Amino acid sequence: MTETTTAKANIGVVGLAVMGSNLARNLASRDGNTVAVYNRSVEKTNTLLSEHPEAGFIASEKIEDFVASLQKPRTAIIMVQAGKGTDAVIDQLTQLFEPGDIIVDGGNALFTDTIRREKAVRETGINFVGAGISGGEEGALKGPSIMPGGSAEAYETLGPILSSIAAVAEGEPCVTHVGTDGAGHFVKMIHNGIEYADMQLIAEAYDLIRRGTGKSPAEIADVFAEWNRGELESYLIEITAEVLRQVDAKTGKPLVDVIVDQAGSKGTGVWTVQTALNLGVPVSGIAEAVFARGLSSHPEQREAASDLPGPSDAWRVEDHDAFIEDVRLALYASKIVAYSQGFDAIAAGADEHGWNIDLGAVSKIWRGGCIIRAQFLNRIADSYSDVPDLKLLLAAPYFAEAMAGAQDAWRRVVVASAQSGIPAPAFSSSLSYYDGLRADRLPAALVQGQRDFFGAHTYKRVDGEGTFHTLWSGDRSEIQATDSH
Ligand code: 6PG
């Protein structure tokens, strides 16, 4: 490894695990980039250098040399595991960087950490940019979707570099300056929440089809491959077909049948739901997806419940093709709900944190590179371009029509799930959300009555202004009150 004191690199990457290495290689493959690399343990650096001499990396063993190898304004992308490691690298770089330099955190940081870090780093005159990067290992290498936050000033330098490595969808790079400080990581978090919902919905569709029709995983792979040619076309549907088709070399069984049925998580789905709860946004589809992973991962409870009775009546699917088409429509409608809820959460987060987030631009940068990339993000982009302050994505004309076409099938699938005892929590909660929104009257009126009864929490009346309380423990007459929410 050559140590260098001459600033030759226009961009640096700190953290050379798979995502960092791939991002560094992606950067190095673009015209005009010379990439400096640094990793805490030198082995990873050496492996990268020996496996990819074509990249022309400038590598350093010491972070001081790494910093010295960067041209000004220095720009370094940190690709380390989110958490304490990120803070440690930020501290080191902050001590060595100068005002005007840019530190980018490309990990999956919690957006509130990014807000805190940006504030602290800004005081030194150095720019700090939290950038969500989606697309997994392959995306990092070939073109991810990038969601940078931070200052507009930093984006002037960073934007062209990120545009050069991002995925391209319909001729446009999948990167935009999402908003200030933590906005980029916030949007990446919601992306992951939608990813959870999308994955869970696909898993429910697979389960219903398998148990309802008796088709094998390989046959269901064909169903998903077919779906991928229509309005459901997306990366997650595509890889689902691949996973279902995979045969385990050891046993000859479908791989899906030898994988333990307990889904893990690294936490971004949980953050999405926690954040949405704080914002008062019902992201029920996303929440059910998080809960479903949690339920799957409690084998002791599943064991304790295994003898509990299921439905008394036998359930049979008469027409397999018709059932599969119903499931496809249920998946499509529930997926629209998940995206609609996710965009609601972004809008609410933007309000809360003072970010000016262009929802149409977000939908556009999710069209390529990221895990939730899907054909229908074009329709979301169109909906926001037609009505920029759209109140409810699923009620936009294109999606309202899709819901109208899908809702009967969706109901049949939810009924089938309840009758058969096959769990479909994301399908059914999404349908309840849809019905809740379209209801003329909700039983929330009764909840308000109950709250007023036991806690004098007051209520409004449908027939006039004002706030009221009934004297429940007295003569039950109604009095004017002060709104207590
Ligand atoms: C992406 C993914 C990625 C995600 C992991 C695992 O956009 O590239 O969302 O960031 O963190 O794939 O997530 P879980 O372990 O939480 O499923």
Side-chain angles (χ1 to χ4, degrees):
M1 190 181 311
T2 49
E3 290 191 357
T4 178
T5 47
T6 334
K8 289 197 206 122
N10 62 319
I11 181 93
V13 176
V14 179
L16 300 176
V18 186
M19 286 293 286
S21 296
N22 283 1
L23 199 78
R25 287 172 56 202
N26 183 353
L27 283 160
S29 72
R30 312 289 169 165
D31 278 351
N33 282 344
T34 303
V35 184
V37 289
Y38 168 78
N39 193 71
R40 196 156 53 100
S41 77
V42 77
E43 289 77 28
K44 280 210 171 77
T45 314
N46 288 338
T47 310
L48 179 65
L49 291 188
S50 64
E51 286 177 358
H52 296 287
E54 79 288 351
F57 290 125
I58 299 178
S60 304
E61 278 187 38
K62 292 197 199 120
I63 195 151
E64 290 79 3
D65 296 329
F66 166 79
V67 169
S69 72
L70 292 168
Q71 291 164 7
K72 293 182 191 176
R74 301 181 186 89
T75 306
I77 306 182
I78 304 174
M79 295 296 291
V80 302
Q81 185 111 45
K84 286 207 178 84
T86 310
D87 278 316
V89 179
I90 293 168
D91 282 351
Q92 286 179 306
L93 289 178
T94 312
Q95 278 161 33
L96 298 164
F97 271 22
E98 291 170 359
D101 291 347
I102 305 168
I103 300 173
V104 183
D105 175 12
N108 263 338
L110 179 58
F111 77 97
T112 45
D113 285 343
T114 304
I115 292 175
R116 166 180 62 77
R117 289 168 178 150
E118 199 273 340
K119 194 160 173 264
V121 174
R122 193 177 351 121
E123 279 167 18
T124 67
I126 298 167
N127 294 293
F128 182 80
V129 175
I133 300 182
S134 176
E137 297 171 13
E138 192 178 299
L141 182 62
K142 296 185 178 157
S145 169
I146 312 177
M147 295 147 252
S151 70
E153 181 206 345
Y155 195 71
E156 268 179 41
T157 307
L158 202 55
I161 300 174
L162 297 182
S163 298
S164 75
I165 59 164
V168 175
E170 320 227 339
E172 293 174 85
C174 294
V175 57
T176 189
H177 182 221
V178 174
T180 53
D181 56 57
H185 275 142
F186 184 91
V187 165
K188 173 60 168 59
M189 175 187 74
I190 303 294
H191 163 284
N192 280 30
I194 296 173
E195 171 185 307
Y196 273 54
D198 223 340
M199 292 167 74
Q200 173 65 22
L201 291 167
I202 291 171
E204 290 177 14
Y206 149 76
D207 200 22
L208 283 159
I209 293 175
R210 185 155 186 197
R211 292 162 71 179
T213 69
K215 279 185 187 293
S216 68
E219 287 168 325
I220 302 172
D222 292 340
V223 171
F224 278 101
E226 176 62 34
W227 288 359
N228 202 37
R229 285 190 274 275
E231 54 204 356
L232 281 173
E233 184 194 332
S234 63
Y235 172 71
L236 284 170
I237 294 278
E238 181 192 325
I239 65 162
T240 299
E242 305 249 353
V243 173
L244 289 176
R245 222 185 288 287
Q246 183 72 15
V247 174
D248 175 44
K250 208 162 146 196
T251 58
K253 291 181 182 169
L255 179 68
V256 72
D257 287 348
V258 298
I259 296 177
V260 173
D261 61 344
Q262 296 173 23
S265 80
K266 298 212 176 64
T268 48
V270 173
W271 293 346
T272 304
V273 178
Q274 286 171 332
T275 304
L277 286 173
N278 288 339
L279 291 168
V281 181
V283 292
S284 47
I286 298 170
E288 285 301 344
V290 175
F291 295 149
R293 290 195 192 189
L295 184 151
S296 79
S297 300
H298 280 288
E300 69 300 339
Q301 291 196 327
R302 292 174 61 188
E303 172 63 29
S306 61
D307 288 333
L308 293 175
S312 316
D313 297 328
W315 174 72
R316 268 192 58 216
V317 174
E318 301 293 340
D319 183 337
H320 288 185
D321 289 343
F323 179 67
I324 290 170
E325 176 59 6
D326 277 359
V327 173
R328 186 186 72 81
L329 289 165
L331 175 54
Y332 187 43
S334 306
K335 183 178 161 117
I336 294 169
V337 165
Y339 278 73
S340 191
Q341 293 180 341
F343 276 91
D344 279 352
I346 297 177
D351 264 2
E352 172 81 10
H353 297 281
W355 297 318
N356 185 16
I357 300 183
D358 177 343
L359 299 180
V362 170
S363 61
K364 283 188 171 180
I365 65 166
W366 285 351
R367 289 177 306 175
C370 66
I371 305 294
I372 64 170
R373 60 186 181 262
Q375 184 54 38
F376 95 146
L377 278 154
N378 277 310
R379 305 286 80 78
I380 298 182
D382 293 345
S383 302
Y384 282 112
S385 115
D386 291 348
V387 185
D389 70 337
L390 194 63
K391 294 288 169 277
L392 180 70
L393 181 60
L394 66 80
Y398 178 86
F399 293 110
E401 203 179 304
M403 295 309 236
Q407 58 112 22
D408 283 336
W410 195 10
R411 294 180 196 287
R412 285 192 293 271
V413 169
V414 171
V415 168
S417 145
Q419 276 180 340
S420 63
I422 300 170
F427 278 168
S428 49
S429 79
S430 303
L431 179 58
S432 289
Y433 171 83
Y434 171 79
D435 282 333
L437 279 179
R438 30 166 240 101
D440 279 344
R441 287 277 294 161
L442 286 169
L446 177 57
V447 172
Q448 283 297 81
Q450 293 163 333
R451 292 178 70 237
D452 190 57
F453 188 102
F454 63 67
H457 293 298
T458 75
Y459 53 85
K460 307 258 187 222
R461 296 182 55 99
V462 296
D463 51 4
E465 295 295 306
T467 300
F468 302 91
H469 168 58
T470 289
L471 298 169
W472 296 102
S473 346
D475 64 1
R476 303 209 165 180
S477 61
E478 185 179 72
I479 59 167
Q480 294 265 0
T482 314
D483 193 346
S484 75
H485 297 288

